[in-house]
């Protein structure tokens, strides 16, 4: 098993077609989202061929909880999470480094970066968005990922956002959010997607009549995006 990951499995085929790295939210663990490996394949059978990685966040002090330590990708300074809130930039960069390490391990195992989708829920989505798009936290001449899936997340470090043309052109983003989210406010979706679109990123957004959570319809849409991104839209219904 890969260190820091709950699951690192692949189909018994000679060529691994792609991978999903999915980061959990604040206070959660990899087991909170490991069901995706089973449920996504049930919705779209070709997704059974993916490698699934569910990294574990470190224990960090969370300011909104009085400094109590819990699994988290970075500190949260305000609650609910609103547009323009102060950010833990050092924590965000450390989380991005951990995600980049997971990507590198996949590449070393034979999965090209162009076949890897990164994503997450809440804090995990924030880290995935930052790692995938912001040139400030990427290695020089970083190659594009296959895509990004952001569930109830937000875009960070936007004051100096820079996205390379190659990544904007080749790394689409699907952003899902609950219209009644009172923890990561719904306005974050329009703000973040808008910022990415300013940099020519192909962003599709979907909202659901729910709070800071997930639902069956969202899972169906997630499976559809992954299937079409990694295998092609023309065969996605087969």
């Amino acid at each position: 098993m890969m260190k820091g990951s709950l699951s690192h499995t692949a189909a018994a085929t000679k060529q691994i077609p792609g991978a999903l790295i999915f980061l959990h939210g604040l206070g959660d663990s990899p087991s909170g989202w490991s069901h995706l490996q089973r449920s996504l394949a049930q919705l779209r059978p070709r997704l059974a061929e993916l490698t699934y990685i569910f990294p574990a966040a470190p224990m960090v002090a969370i300011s909104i909880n009085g400094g109590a330590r819990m699994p988290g990708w970075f500190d949260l300074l305000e609650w609910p999470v609103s547009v323009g809130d102060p950010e833990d930039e050092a924590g965000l960069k450390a989380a991005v480094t951990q995600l980049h390490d997971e990507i590198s391990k996949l590449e070393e195992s034979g999965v090209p970066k162009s076949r890897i989708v990164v994503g997450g829920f809440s804090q995990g989505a924030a880290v995935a968005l930052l790692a995938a798009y912001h040139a400030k936290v990427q290695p020089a001449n970083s190659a594009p990922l296959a895509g990004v899936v952001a569930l109830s997340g937000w875009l960070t470090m936007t004051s100096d956002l820079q996205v390379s043309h190659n990544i904007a052109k080749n790394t689409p983003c699907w952003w899902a959010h609950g219209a009644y989210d009172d923890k990561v406010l719904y306005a974050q979706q329009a703000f973040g997607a808008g910022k990415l679109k300013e940099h020519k990123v192909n962003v599709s957004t979907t909202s659901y009549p729910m709070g800071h959570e997930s639902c069956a319809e969202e899972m169906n849409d997630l499976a559809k995006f992954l299937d079409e991104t990694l295998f092609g839209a023309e065969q996605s219904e087969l």
Side-chain angles (χ1 to χ4, degrees), residues 23 73-74 91-92 95-96 99 122-132 154 156:
L23 281 62
W73 297 106
F74 51 90
L92 282 161
V96 165
L99 178 51
S122 193
Q123 267 201 341
V127 174
L129 287 164
L130 182 61
W154 69 101
T156 59

Side-chain angles (χ1 to χ4, degrees), residues 87 89-90 93 96-97 100 130-140 142 156-164 167:
E87 297 173 342
E89 187 168 316
K93 289 179 178 178
V96 165
T97 297
H100 282 161
L130 182 61
Y133 294 115
H134 205 313
K136 185 176 181 180
V137 299
Q138 293 173 344
S142 184
T156 59
M157 295 173 55
T158 58
S159 63
D160 59 352
L161 178 63
Q162 298 178 39
V163 184
S164 76
I167 288 175

Side-chain angles (χ1 to χ4, degrees), residues 20 30 32 35 38 43 49-50 75 78 80 88-89 104 122-123 159 163 178 184 193 201 208 214 218 232:
L20 171 65
H35 66 85
R38 178 186 68 258
L43 293 166
E49 300 175 39
L50 302 185
D75 191 12
E78 300 287 345
D88 172 21
E89 187 168 316
S104 294
S122 193
Q123 267 201 341
S159 63
V163 184
V184 178
V201 176
Y208 307 89
S214 187
E218 183 182 56

Side-chain angles (χ1 to χ4, degrees), residues 13 35-37 44 49 69 110 141 195 199 220 231 238:
T13 55
H35 66 85
L36 291 179
Q37 184 167 349
R44 299 277 171 153
E49 300 175 39
R69 297 178 67 82
N141 301 313
K195 284 288 185 181
H199 291 271
N220 277 316
F231 297 99
L238 295 182

Side-chain angles (χ1 to χ4, degrees), residues 83-84 155-156 158 175 186-196 198:
V83 174
L155 191 65
T156 59
T158 58
W175 191 320
Y186 182 42
Q188 292 279 15
Q189 185 190 54
F191 174 79
K195 284 288 185 181
L196 291 175
E198 288 175 7

Side-chain angles (χ1 to χ4, degrees), residues 5-220:
S5 299
L6 175 72
S7 176
H8 180 220
T9 62
T13 55
K14 293 183 179 180
Q15 182 178 2
I16 301 174
L20 171 65
I21 305 175
F22 195 91
L23 281 62
H24 63 78
L26 178 66
D28 202 356
S29 69
S31 62
W33 288 92
S34 61
H35 66 85
L36 291 179
Q37 184 167 349
R38 178 186 68 258
S39 60
L40 292 176
Q42 291 173 341
L43 293 166
R44 299 277 171 153
R46 292 185 297 186
L47 298 181
E49 300 175 39
L50 302 185
T51 297
Y52 289 84
I53 305 290
F54 301 100
M59 297 292 290
V60 297
I62 303 296
S63 295
I64 61 168
N65 286 334
R69 297 178 67 82
M70 62 183 61
W73 297 106
F74 51 90
D75 191 12
L76 281 181
L77 307 174
E78 300 287 345
W79 194 254
V81 182
S82 307
V83 174
D85 282 350
E87 297 173 342
D88 172 21
E89 187 168 316
L92 282 161
K93 289 179 178 178
V96 165
T97 297
Q98 184 175 343
L99 178 51
H100 282 161
D101 287 345
E102 295 287 358
I103 293 169
S104 294
K105 291 174 186 177
L106 278 172
E107 290 183 288
E108 291 168 4
S109 74
V111 184
K113 194 172 182 181
S114 61
R115 303 292 295 158
I116 299 171
V117 174
V118 300
F121 176 78
S122 193
Q123 267 201 341
V127 174
L129 287 164
L130 182 61
Y133 294 115
H134 205 313
K136 185 176 181 180
V137 299
Q138 293 173 344
N141 301 313
S142 184
L145 291 155
V148 178
V149 291
L151 279 58
S152 304
W154 69 101
L155 191 65
T156 59
M157 295 173 55
T158 58
S159 63
D160 59 352
L161 178 63
Q162 298 178 39
V163 184
S164 76
H165 173 74
N166 191 29
I167 288 175
K169 180 181 178 181
N170 293 292
T171 306
C173 175
W174 176 68
W175 191 320
H177 216 106
Y180 309 130
D181 196 331
D182 60 353
K183 295 178 174 61
V184 178
L185 299 186
Y186 182 42
Q188 292 279 15
Q189 185 190 54
F191 174 79
K195 284 288 185 181
L196 291 175
K197 288 177 180 179
E198 288 175 7
H199 291 271
K200 310 303 182 184
V201 176
N202 178 13
V203 185
S204 57
T205 59
T206 311
S207 62
Y208 307 89
M210 64 181 187
H212 194 64
E213 56 193 314
S214 187
C215 66
E217 184 181 0
E218 183 182 56
M219 290 299 99
N220 277 316

